[in-house]
Amino acid sequence: MLEELDIRNFALIDSAHVDFEKGFTVLSGETGAGKSILIGSLAFLLGGKASLDQIRTGCHEASVSGVFLLSHSSKKEDDPFEWLSEHGMEAEDGRIILRRVIKDSGKTSSWIGGVPATKADVADFAKFLVDLHGQHEQQSLMKVSEHRRYLDIYAGLEDEVSAFGSVYTKLVEKRRLLEKLDSDSEEINRRIEMLSFAVEEISSAKIKNGEDEELSSEEAKLSSFEKLYSVVEELSGIFDGNEGSALSLLKRSSSLFSQASDMDKSLSELSSRTESAFYEMEDIHRELKRYENSLVFDPARLEEVQERLELIYNLKKKYLKNVNLPCSELNVFMENARKELEGLGSVSGGKDVLEKEIAVLEKEVYAKAKALSTKRKASASQMSSDIQKILSALGMASSVFKVGITEKEGNSAVQKCSVYGMDDIEFLISANPGLPLMSLSRIASGGELSRVMLALKTVLSEGDTAGTLVFDEIDTGIGGEIALSLGSHMKALASKMQVLCITHLASIAVYADNQIKIQKGVEGEMTSTKVFPVTGQERVKEIARMLSGDSTSASSLEHAASMLSKFGGK
């Protein structure tokens, strides 16, 4: 239930604080005074549309906050306290404060119980707080597609419809997959053939990681054998122990250094280094000799290496994006190809399995759709009766209302069903005796639509999670006795939940438990809207104004007081 609404710099309202009571409250005022602005501020607070023109002229931001009294529900999904707990928030003394701000930069910010919240979170939480009905929602009665939703809410079938939709969507997806398999079968087969050949070709090559680098090195050695042998032979000659060779010179130098160091100890280190150099060179010479003796020119091996390198190059060119990549990438390509083949094989080989799954799902979808249809038909009959009774009390006793249900055309589960089942649902009405039932969207007037919507909201209120029901201009196109019946009905509805209603009809306002007046005026050069409750004689004056436009004449005031006394207002 909405307890307080605080508005700052919103449209024409510079500052307003409104306390709301339980029961039936009407909002009244002159045409253009800003009654809808008050409801607009509430819609904004609850996550509705935000725009810069909502900021009062000359201000940098607009803000709206509200205090709501929450109530527990036996169903976890309908309990606002559960929602708050799941989102890391909590109520205080059973109440929660919502606040929303829009700045002239276009940025909006929202809070639930002092915790920053997204617009989506606010809109989701708002379903526990307020059900706001305006002219735009009344137009939903003109959309046949919405009639199914209203019936399912009445019947309590939303969860069942959602579950059905999941199964139906699964069936549609599997049918699409099967169609894709059929249309892509040739392409899949070509892909399987190409990948199979690639795996076989690379696998048979038995390529080892790093093999291309080893072969390239070996090829360079074999291709340059003559030059390599000549260089090694010349090096070996330099080291040979003949007069003038490197080793003989080092050996002679080492002997001379030894003699000199005996005479001058300062040469001992040089002598030692020369001796070490000799032994190192002698070791190098031995290694070089072994290498020289191992050099054997093998033209057959050179041919074999070159053929292997050409094979690896061709495989890289065929299967890799760049021939300079290491040959290990060929093995990576082969493993990926094997995995893809497994997937394609399971898809291709799973066609029979898929067809069987579809057959099972079709049966499940049809059975669930049939069960939904049975429940809808039972509820449709009761809903028609409930709405008919209310319409009779609202001055439409001669009309006949029916929730019509027909089965969708088609000869398969998919064709017969949509994501909501197999039923086409439409509200039908006969507004006058003797006339056939016809589409509500074709024959209902604005006043009749208002009453049908009120009847609909009434029958849906039993399962409504929101604690507050708001009607904006539901009295369009009606008056007289019908307005009285409308007011009486809303007062009865307010015994179950808080009802707020914008009205210009005194016949409705006199039934209210509380009345709030919206008044526009000019202060200085600025137009502003004030919001305040009217009670006692002030309320009598407001009812008189609504009756005849005259809030001062004795006859108008007497008439207003009489109506308030007769129809139970305060």
Side-chain angles (χ1 to χ4, degrees), residues 368-378 405 407 422-423:
K368 288 183 179 294
K370 201 71 176 174
L372 263 179
S373 184
T374 300
K375 292 176 182 178
R376 280 174 174 157
K377 286 172 182 175
I405 299 181
E407 190 172 304
M422 59 168 38
D423 302 310

Side-chain angles (χ1 to χ4, degrees), residues 233-249:
E233 189 177 39
E234 186 177 350
L235 274 171
S236 184
I238 291 172
F239 280 96
D240 276 344
N242 301 324
E243 285 293 329
S245 70
L247 277 175
S248 62
L249 289 173

Side-chain angles (χ1 to χ4, degrees), residues 222-241:
L222 290 171
S223 298
S224 307
F225 179 80
E226 290 186 7
K227 186 176 180 180
L228 175 63
Y229 190 83
S230 174
V231 170
V232 171
E233 189 177 39
E234 186 177 350
L235 274 171
S236 184
I238 291 172
F239 280 96
D240 276 344

Side-chain angles (χ1 to χ4, degrees), residues 287-306:
E287 291 292 328
L288 184 62
K289 273 296 183 183
R290 279 196 290 271
Y291 179 77
E292 182 182 10
N293 292 333
S294 70
L295 285 175
V296 178
F297 179 61
D298 186 351
R301 175 58 184 166
L302 176 60
E303 183 179 359
E304 181 184 334
V305 168
Q306 289 174 335

Side-chain angles (χ1 to χ4, degrees), residues 301-455:
R301 175 58 184 166
L302 176 60
E303 183 179 359
E304 181 184 334
V305 168
Q306 289 174 335
E307 288 178 355
R308 183 69 175 171
L309 281 171
E310 184 178 9
L311 171 64
I312 293 174
Y313 175 83
N314 288 335
L315 289 174
K316 286 182 179 181
K317 187 176 181 181
K318 193 172 183 180
Y319 298 114
L320 302 183
K321 294 179 179 179
N322 189 338
V323 294
N324 294 319
L325 290 170
C327 65
S328 59
E329 290 298 315
L330 284 169
N331 290 326
V332 172
F333 178 89
M334 179 177 66
E335 289 306 313
N336 290 336
R338 279 176 174 156
K339 290 177 182 177
E340 187 176 347
L341 276 172
E342 290 176 5
L344 290 173
S346 64
V347 170
S348 180
K351 185 177 176 180
D352 290 342
V353 174
L354 189 59
E355 288 174 341
K356 290 177 182 177
E357 289 176 348
I358 288 172
V360 171
L361 280 172
E362 283 178 342
K363 291 180 180 179
E364 184 179 358
V365 164
Y366 184 77
K368 288 183 179 294
K370 201 71 176 174
L372 263 179
S373 184
T374 300
K375 292 176 182 178
R376 280 174 174 157
K377 286 172 182 175
S379 293
S381 176
Q382 186 61 50
M383 184 178 184
S384 299
S385 175
D386 289 346
I387 290 180
Q388 182 71 58
K389 291 176 184 176
I390 296 171
L391 290 177
S392 295
L394 294 177
M396 294 177 66
S398 299
S399 65
V400 177
F401 180 89
K402 180 181 179 182
V403 180
I405 299 181
T406 56
E407 190 172 304
K408 292 181 182 294
E409 295 182 359
N411 52 20
S412 73
V414 173
Q415 289 172 316
K416 275 191 175 183
C417 292
S418 73
V419 71
Y420 302 115
M422 59 168 38
D423 302 310
D424 283 328
I425 299 162
E426 183 174 10
F427 294 164
L428 306 172
I429 192 168
S430 170
N432 297 294
L435 294 180
L437 286 165
M438 296 182 68
S439 172
L440 179 69
S441 60
R442 289 178 56 191
I443 66 167
S445 66
E448 288 166 339
L449 278 177
S450 293
R451 283 175 280 175
V452 172
M453 179 53 82
L454 179 56

